[in-house]
């Protein structure tokens, strides 16, 4: 008689495609490299959530469904993360806007087009109109400084929209 051991019911993380790595010409700082490794490529940009947290697993899934956001006639690169007063957080790690800017500039799909920062905001913007989003402003400033040093991006203007986007294609926010 032949006895087969039952198959182990385990899954592992899929390998990332080679094209998903940072641009060769964009060396990352140690912290930005850590953020890159924690991020996930989505059809419209990158998301930075902790897959081990139950609520974040759902956000990672929803980020795969976010429809493109067009700003100034261009498809924006959508960056989704938990925002806070000091930067973004992935699990219990906090990353500064300058580290996030390094990751955005290193993304092979970033060509200087607008960036839509889909994140929480420490300010309550429940009134219609302009949104005050200091994290989006800090990211725009850091990204602008990086684009001026990168010959391939020099001359582009770092436009970051801070707001929220959903899987139905609705979005709101203000440019920085």
């Amino acid at each position: 008689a032949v006895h087969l051991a039952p198959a182990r019911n385990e899954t592992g993380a899929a390998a990332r495609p080679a094209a998903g790595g940072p641009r060769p010409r964009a060396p990352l700082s140690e912290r930005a490299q850590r953020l890159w490794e924690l991020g996930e490529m989505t059809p419209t940009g990158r998301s930075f959530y902790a897959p081990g947290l139950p609520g974040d697993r759902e956000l990672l899934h929803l980020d795969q469904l976010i429809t493109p956001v067009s700003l100034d006639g261009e498809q924006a690169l959508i960056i989704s993360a938990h925002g806070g007063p000091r930067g973004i957080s992935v699990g219990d790690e906090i990353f500064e806007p300058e580290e996030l800017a390094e990751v955005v500039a290193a993304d092979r799909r970033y060509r200087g087009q607008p960036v839509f920062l889909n994140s929480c905001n420490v300010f309550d913007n429940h009134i219609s109109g302009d949104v005050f989003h200091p994290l989006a402003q800090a990211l725009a400033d850091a990204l602008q400084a990086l684009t001026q040093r990168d010959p391939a991006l020099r001359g582009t203007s770092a436009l970051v929209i801070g707001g929220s986007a959903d899987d139905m294609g609705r979005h709101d926010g203000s440019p920085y």
Side-chain angles (χ1 to χ4, degrees):
V2 175
H3 295 284
L4 297 174
R8 292 180 15 184
N9 188 13
E10 294 181 10
T11 59
R16 292 196 175 158
R23 296 177 194 195
R25 61 183 171 76
L28 298 175
S29 67
E30 186 176 317
R31 292 285 298 155
Q33 182 64 44
R34 171 73 178 145
L35 180 57
W36 180 276
E37 292 165 1
L38 290 171
E40 291 291 330
M41 191 179 338
T42 67
T44 56
R46 299 192 76 76
S47 65
F48 299 94
Y49 296 115
L53 299 176
D56 281 9
R57 278 195 297 268
E58 182 179 352
L59 291 172
L60 282 167
H61 170 71
L62 291 174
D63 268 3
Q64 298 296 326
L65 305 175
I66 290 178
T67 57
V69 173
S70 181
L71 302 165
D72 290 344
E74 290 189 81
Q75 183 175 323
L77 187 70
I78 300 176
I79 303 297
S80 297
H82 291 298
R86 295 183 6 228
I88 67 165
S89 62
V90 182
D92 60 356
E93 294 184 62
I94 296 174
F95 296 89
E96 296 179 357
E98 294 78 11
E99 295 158 345
L100 180 56
E102 284 185 65
V103 170
V104 170
D107 191 300
R108 293 171 186 269
R109 296 168 296 167
Y110 182 67
R111 311 168 313 283
Q113 77 270 35
V115 173
F116 190 94
L117 181 60
N118 184 26
S119 74
C120 304
N121 186 359
V122 295
F123 289 89
D124 185 4
N125 290 296
H126 285 203
I127 299 170
S128 295
D130 291 338
V131 174
F132 179 58
H133 203 305
L135 180 56
Q137 179 65 62
L139 176 59
D141 293 344
L143 194 54
Q144 186 67 44
L146 286 175
T147 60
Q148 296 313 306
R149 293 193 304 259
D150 184 338
L153 298 173
R154 193 171 293 131
T156 63
S157 178
L159 174 65
V160 176
I161 307 295
S164 61
D166 65 21
D167 58 335
M168 301 301 289
R170 296 179 297 245
H171 66 278
D172 61 22
S174 293
Y176 294 93

CSV table of all heavy atoms in Angstrom, one decimal, residues 95-123:
chain,number,residue,atom,x,y,z
A,95,PHE,N,8.2,56.5,8.1
A,95,PHE,CA,9.1,56.9,7.1
A,95,PHE,C,8.8,58.4,6.7
A,95,PHE,O,7.7,58.8,6.6
A,95,PHE,CB,9.0,56.1,5.8
A,95,PHE,CG,9.4,54.6,6.0
A,95,PHE,CD1,8.4,53.7,6.5
A,95,PHE,CD2,10.7,54.2,5.8
A,95,PHE,CE1,8.8,52.4,6.7
A,95,PHE,CE2,11.0,52.9,6.1
A,95,PHE,CZ,10.1,52.0,6.5
A,96,GLU,N,9.9,59.2,6.6
A,96,GLU,CA,9.8,60.6,6.4
A,96,GLU,C,9.4,60.9,4.9
A,96,GLU,O,9.7,60.0,4.0
A,96,GLU,CB,11.1,61.3,6.8
A,96,GLU,CG,11.4,61.2,8.3
A,96,GLU,CD,12.7,61.8,8.7
A,96,GLU,OE1,13.4,62.4,7.8
A,96,GLU,OE2,12.9,61.8,9.9
A,97,PRO,N,8.9,62.0,4.6
A,97,PRO,CA,8.5,62.4,3.3
A,97,PRO,C,9.7,62.3,2.3
A,97,PRO,O,9.5,61.9,1.1
A,97,PRO,CB,8.0,63.8,3.4
A,97,PRO,CG,7.5,64.0,4.8
A,97,PRO,CD,8.4,63.1,5.6
A,98,GLU,N,10.9,62.6,2.8
A,98,GLU,CA,12.1,62.6,1.9
A,98,GLU,C,12.4,61.1,1.5
A,98,GLU,O,12.8,60.9,0.4
A,98,GLU,CB,13.3,63.1,2.6
A,98,GLU,CG,13.2,64.6,2.9
A,98,GLU,CD,12.3,65.0,4.1
A,98,GLU,OE1,11.9,64.1,4.9
A,98,GLU,OE2,12.0,66.2,4.3
A,99,GLU,N,12.1,60.2,2.4
A,99,GLU,CA,12.4,58.7,2.1
A,99,GLU,C,11.3,58.3,1.1
A,99,GLU,O,11.6,57.5,0.1
A,99,GLU,CB,12.3,57.9,3.3
A,99,GLU,CG,13.5,58.2,4.2
A,99,GLU,CD,13.3,57.9,5.7
A,99,GLU,OE1,12.2,57.6,6.2
A,99,GLU,OE2,14.3,57.9,6.4
A,100,LEU,N,10.1,58.7,1.2
A,100,LEU,CA,9.0,58.4,0.3
A,100,LEU,C,9.3,59.0,-1.1
A,100,LEU,O,9.1,58.4,-2.1
A,100,LEU,CB,7.7,58.9,0.8
A,100,LEU,CG,6.5,58.6,-0.1
A,100,LEU,CD1,6.3,57.1,-0.5
A,100,LEU,CD2,5.2,59.1,0.6
A,101,ALA,N,9.8,60.2,-1.1
A,101,ALA,CA,10.2,60.9,-2.4
A,101,ALA,C,11.3,60.1,-3.1
A,101,ALA,O,11.2,60.0,-4.3
A,101,ALA,CB,10.7,62.3,-2.1
A,102,GLU,N,12.2,59.5,-2.4
A,102,GLU,CA,13.3,58.7,-3.0
A,102,GLU,C,12.6,57.5,-3.7
A,102,GLU,O,13.0,57.1,-4.8
A,102,GLU,CB,14.3,58.2,-2.0
A,102,GLU,CG,15.3,59.2,-1.5
A,102,GLU,CD,16.3,58.5,-0.6
A,102,GLU,OE1,17.0,57.6,-1.1
A,102,GLU,OE2,16.3,58.8,0.6
A,103,VAL,N,11.6,56.9,-3.0
A,103,VAL,CA,11.0,55.7,-3.6
A,103,VAL,C,10.2,56.1,-4.8
A,103,VAL,O,10.2,55.4,-5.8
A,103,VAL,CB,10.1,55.0,-2.5
A,103,VAL,CG1,9.2,54.0,-3.1
A,103,VAL,CG2,11.0,54.4,-1.4
A,104,VAL,N,9.4,57.2,-4.8
A,104,VAL,CA,8.7,57.7,-5.9
A,104,VAL,C,9.6,57.9,-7.1
A,104,VAL,O,9.3,57.5,-8.2
A,104,VAL,CB,7.8,58.9,-5.6
A,104,VAL,CG1,7.2,59.5,-6.8
A,104,VAL,CG2,6.7,58.6,-4.6
A,105,ALA,N,10.7,58.7,-6.9
A,105,ALA,CA,11.6,59.0,-8.0
A,105,ALA,C,12.3,57.7,-8.5
A,105,ALA,O,12.6,57.7,-9.7
A,105,ALA,CB,12.7,60.0,-7.5
A,106,ALA,N,12.4,56.7,-7.7
A,106,ALA,CA,13.0,55.4,-8.2
A,106,ALA,C,12.1,54.5,-8.9
A,106,ALA,O,12.5,53.6,-9.6
A,106,ALA,CB,13.6,54.7,-7.0
A,107,ASP,N,10.8,54.8,-8.8
A,107,ASP,CA,9.8,53.9,-9.5
A,107,ASP,C,10.0,54.1,-11.0
A,107,ASP,O,10.0,55.3,-11.5
A,107,ASP,CB,8.4,54.3,-9.1
A,107,ASP,CG,7.3,53.3,-9.6
A,107,ASP,OD1,7.2,53.1,-10.8
A,107,ASP,OD2,6.6,52.8,-8.7
A,108,ARG,N,10.1,53.0,-11.7
A,108,ARG,CA,10.3,53.1,-13.2
A,108,ARG,C,9.2,53.8,-13.9
A,108,ARG,O,9.4,54.2,-15.1
A,108,ARG,CB,10.6,51.7,-13.7
A,108,ARG,CG,11.8,51.0,-13.2
A,108,ARG,CD,11.9,49.6,-13.6
A,108,ARG,NE,13.1,48.9,-13.0
A,108,ARG,CZ,14.2,48.8,-13.6
A,108,ARG,NH1,14.4,49.3,-14.8
A,108,ARG,NH2,15.2,48.2,-13.0
A,109,ARG,N,8.0,53.8,-13.3
A,109,ARG,CA,6.9,54.4,-14.0
A,109,ARG,C,6.8,55.9,-13.8
A,109,ARG,O,6.0,56.6,-14.4
A,109,ARG,CB,5.6,53.8,-13.6
A,109,ARG,CG,5.6,52.3,-14.0
A,109,ARG,CD,4.4,51.5,-13.3
A,109,ARG,NE,4.7,51.5,-11.9
A,109,ARG,CZ,3.8,51.2,-11.0
A,109,ARG,NH1,2.6,50.8,-11.4
A,109,ARG,NH2,4.0,51.2,-9.7
A,110,TYR,N,7.6,56.5,-12.9
A,110,TYR,CA,7.6,57.9,-12.6
A,110,TYR,C,8.4,58.6,-13.6
A,110,TYR,O,9.6,58.4,-13.8
A,110,TYR,CB,8.1,58.2,-11.2
A,110,TYR,CG,8.1,59.7,-10.9
A,110,TYR,CD1,6.8,60.3,-10.7
A,110,TYR,CD2,9.2,60.4,-10.8
A,110,TYR,CE1,6.8,61.7,-10.4
A,110,TYR,CE2,9.2,61.8,-10.5
A,110,TYR,CZ,7.9,62.4,-10.3
A,110,TYR,OH,7.9,63.8,-10.1
A,111,ARG,N,7.7,59.6,-14.3
A,111,ARG,CA,8.4,60.4,-15.4
A,111,ARG,C,8.2,61.8,-15.1
A,111,ARG,O,8.4,62.7,-16.0
A,111,ARG,CB,7.7,60.1,-16.7
A,111,ARG,CG,7.5,58.7,-17.1
A,111,ARG,CD,6.5,58.5,-18.3
A,111,ARG,NE,5.3,59.3,-18.3
A,111,ARG,CZ,4.2,59.0,-17.6
A,111,ARG,NH1,4.2,57.9,-16.8
A,111,ARG,NH2,3.1,59.7,-17.6
A,112,GLY,N,7.9,62.2,-13.9
A,112,GLY,CA,7.6,63.6,-13.6
A,112,GLY,C,6.2,64.0,-13.6
A,112,GLY,O,5.8,65.1,-13.5
A,113,GLN,N,5.3,63.0,-13.8
A,113,GLN,CA,3.8,63.2,-13.9
A,113,GLN,C,3.3,63.5,-12.5
A,113,GLN,O,4.0,63.3,-11.5
A,113,GLN,CB,3.1,62.1,-14.5
A,113,GLN,CG,2.9,60.8,-13.6
A,113,GLN,CD,4.0,59.8,-13.7
A,113,GLN,OE1,5.2,60.2,-13.9
A,113,GLN,NE2,3.7,58.6,-13.6
A,114,PRO,N,2.1,64.0,-12.3
A,114,PRO,CA,1.6,64.3,-11.0
A,114,PRO,C,1.5,63.0,-10.1
A,114,PRO,O,1.4,61.9,-10.7
A,114,PRO,CB,0.1,64.7,-11.3
A,114,PRO,CG,0.2,65.3,-12.7
A,114,PRO,CD,1.2,64.4,-13.4
A,115,VAL,N,1.6,63.2,-8.8
A,115,VAL,CA,1.6,62.1,-7.9
A,115,VAL,C,0.3,62.3,-7.0
A,115,VAL,O,0.1,63.4,-6.6
A,115,VAL,CB,2.8,62.0,-7.0
A,115,VAL,CG1,2.6,61.0,-5.8
A,115,VAL,CG2,4.0,61.7,-7.8
A,116,PHE,N,-0.5,61.3,-6.9
A,116,PHE,CA,-1.7,61.4,-6.0
A,116,PHE,C,-1.4,60.7,-4.7
A,116,PHE,O,-1.2,59.5,-4.8
A,116,PHE,CB,-2.9,60.8,-6.7
A,116,PHE,CG,-4.2,61.1,-6.0
A,116,PHE,CD1,-5.0,62.2,-6.3
A,116,PHE,CD2,-4.6,60.3,-5.0
A,116,PHE,CE1,-6.2,62.5,-5.7
A,116,PHE,CE2,-5.8,60.6,-4.3
A,116,PHE,CZ,-6.6,61.7,-4.6
A,117,LEU,N,-1.3,61.4,-3.6
A,117,LEU,CA,-1.0,60.8,-2.3
A,117,LEU,C,-2.3,60.4,-1.7
A,117,LEU,O,-3.0,61.3,-1.2
A,117,LEU,CB,-0.2,61.7,-1.4
A,117,LEU,CG,0.2,61.2,-0.1
A,117,LEU,CD1,1.0,59.9,-0.2
A,117,LEU,CD2,0.9,62.3,0.7
A,118,ASN,N,-2.6,59.2,-1.7
A,118,ASN,CA,-3.9,58.6,-1.2
A,118,ASN,C,-3.6,58.2,0.2
A,118,ASN,O,-3.2,57.1,0.5
A,118,ASN,CB,-4.3,57.4,-2.1
A,118,ASN,CG,-5.6,56.9,-1.7
A,118,ASN,OD1,-6.5,57.5,-1.1
A,118,ASN,ND2,-5.8,55.6,-2.0
A,119,SER,N,-3.8,59.1,1.2
A,119,SER,CA,-3.4,58.8,2.6
A,119,SER,C,-4.3,59.5,3.6
A,119,SER,O,-5.0,60.5,3.2
A,119,SER,CB,-1.9,59.2,2.8
A,119,SER,OG,-1.8,60.6,2.9
A,120,CYS,N,-4.2,59.1,4.8
A,120,CYS,CA,-4.8,59.7,5.9
A,120,CYS,C,-4.2,61.1,6.1
A,120,CYS,O,-3.0,61.3,5.7
A,120,CYS,CB,-4.6,58.9,7.2
A,120,CYS,SG,-5.2,57.2,7.1
A,121,ASN,N,-4.9,62.0,6.7
A,121,ASN,CA,-4.4,63.4,6.9
A,121,ASN,C,-4.7,63.7,8.3
A,121,ASN,O,-5.8,63.5,8.8
A,121,ASN,CB,-5.2,64.3,5.9
A,121,ASN,CG,-4.6,65.7,6.0
A,121,ASN,OD1,-3.7,66.0,6.7
A,121,ASN,ND2,-5.2,66.6,5.1
A,122,VAL,N,-3.7,64.3,9.0
A,122,VAL,CA,-3.9,64.6,10.4
A,122,VAL,C,-4.9,65.8,10.6
A,122,VAL,O,-5.4,66.1,11.7
A,122,VAL,CB,-2.6,65.0,11.1
A,122,VAL,CG1,-1.7,63.7,11.2
A,122,VAL,CG2,-1.9,66.1,10.5
A,123,PHE,N,-5.3,66.5,9.5
A,123,PHE,CA,-6.2,67.6,9.6
A,123,PHE,C,-7.6,67.1,9.1
A,123,PHE,O,-7.7,66.4,8.1
A,123,PHE,CB,-5.7,68.8,8.8
A,123,PHE,CG,-4.5,69.5,9.4
A,123,PHE,CD1,-3.3,69.0,9.1
A,123,PHE,CD2,-4.7,70.5,10.3
A,123,PHE,CE1,-2.2,69.6,9.6
A,123,PHE,CE2,-3.6,71.1,10.9
A,123,PHE,CZ,-2.3,70.6,10.6
